[in-house]
Amino acid sequence: MILRPLSADSPSASIVIPTLPSRDHSSVVESLRRQTVENFEVILVNSDELDVCEARNAGIVEADSDIILFTDDDCYAPATWVETALSRFENDDIVLLEGTVDVHSPGPRHYIGANLGVDRDAARRIGGFDSRFAGWRDDTEFGYRMESALGLDAIQYDPDWEMLHPGEFGSRRKLLNEMRFKLLYPRRMHDLITTPDEPLRELYVSTRREWYRICGRLYETLLYSRPEPL
């Protein structure tokens, strides 16, 4: 299940890639062989029994580096991808780095799992990725829990740290995941996706946001339990 096509004795970064035995991951691995730095490892979690969250969590546990970089098996890393990430983590206050994907660059605080870096101990402390969101919103939910645990000052968005993704994204919207996500993080969702430009719209948005906040509090209190540390 755990494959290491690239390894190092004391890696500066661990790159975790979830994949399936039926999928071709050779392109992303080949792009990682052509990086401008060498001292890193690649961990392929190759299993059809684990969902994407479980696979990423398995990679977190297996990682030998304090810095973990996530991407997907259908991506292609630019030559400076690892070097750029390592330079950002030279700032000891940064525990989560988010970048862009060429076909999908919505801006900060969207946390795209195909291009994400994290401090290993921080990721383990918050319980890694939550399988209840597997396949839709799992990466953004992970980022929001990091925000809650460590604050926005510990998170950096770098629009120049780009991952390439040929073709369309494979994930598809899951209604149950979206409903659960909106209940759990109503205020942040509205703050990010809504920009009121008139008084009545502001009143409407504020009222709706408060309603979701109440529902979210009830949901979190009665139904939602946060993941245990890895």
Side-chain angles (χ1 to χ4, degrees):
M1 180 178 73
I2 301 294
L3 306 175
R4 280 185 166 85
L6 292 174
S7 59
D9 291 335
S10 299
S12 298
S14 298
I15 301 169
V16 173
I17 306 171
T19 189
L20 302 171
S22 60
R23 291 179 64 91
D24 179 14
H25 50 258
S26 59
S27 179
V28 66
V29 172
E30 184 60 29
S31 72
L32 293 170
R33 295 185 190 277
R34 299 177 180 178
Q35 294 295 297
T36 53
V37 294
E38 297 181 351
N39 189 32
F40 62 89
E41 65 177 355
V42 174
I43 300 173
L44 282 167
V45 185
N46 188 22
S47 172
D48 53 11
E49 297 179 358
L50 303 179
D51 64 42
V52 64
C53 295
E54 293 168 333
R56 287 174 178 154
N57 290 343
I60 292 171
V61 172
E62 289 288 330
D64 289 330
S65 173
D66 292 333
I67 298 172
I68 299 177
L69 308 179
F70 294 103
T71 191
D72 292 338
D73 60 5
D74 54 354
C75 290
Y76 192 90
T80 59
W81 185 68
V82 176
E83 182 180 8
T84 299
L86 290 175
S87 70
R88 301 299 180 265
F89 278 102
E90 289 178 357
N91 181 346
D92 293 335
D93 295 329
I94 299 300
V95 298
L96 182 63
L97 174 68
E98 59 169 331
T100 64
V101 179
D102 57 350
V103 297
H104 184 57
S105 304
R109 300 180 67 197
H110 286 267
Y111 305 112
I112 306 171
N115 193 16
L116 206 62
V118 67
D119 175 87
R120 178 187 57 187
D121 292 339
R124 297 190 67 162
R125 191 160 63 247
I126 68 165
F129 292 82
D130 190 339
S131 286
R132 286 170 289 190
F133 294 92
W136 184 256
R137 295 293 188 189
D138 48 277
D139 41 11
T140 311
E141 196 279 331
F142 173 81
Y144 281 7
R145 264 187 294 120
M146 291 290 285
E147 288 183 6
S148 297
L150 298 165
L152 286 174
D153 289 342
I155 294 168
Q156 180 176 342
Y157 170 69
D158 184 353
D160 296 324
W161 188 47
E162 184 183 51
M163 176 59 66
L164 304 180
H165 186 285
E168 297 182 357
F169 275 101
S171 60
R172 295 292 181 266
R173 182 186 180 95
K174 295 183 178 181
L175 182 58
L176 180 60
N177 287 26
E178 186 73 2
M179 292 174 61
R180 183 185 292 122
F181 187 78
K182 287 182 177 180
L183 283 173
L184 193 56
Y185 301 103
R187 184 175 296 277
R188 273 176 274 195
M189 282 287 290
H190 283 292
D191 288 347
L192 286 176
I193 67 176
T194 308
T195 307
D197 53 9
E198 55 186 89
L200 289 179
R201 181 172 173 80
E202 171 66 29
L203 176 62
Y204 167 72
V205 170
S206 298
T207 303
R208 187 172 62 172
R209 182 191 295 134
E210 181 64 17
W211 168 246
Y212 272 118
R213 187 190 68 80
I214 294 171
C215 291
R217 181 65 64 185
L218 288 172
Y219 172 73
E220 186 172 11
T221 301
L222 299 176
L223 297 175
Y224 183 76
S225 58
R226 295 191 180 276
E228 295 294 326
L230 295 177

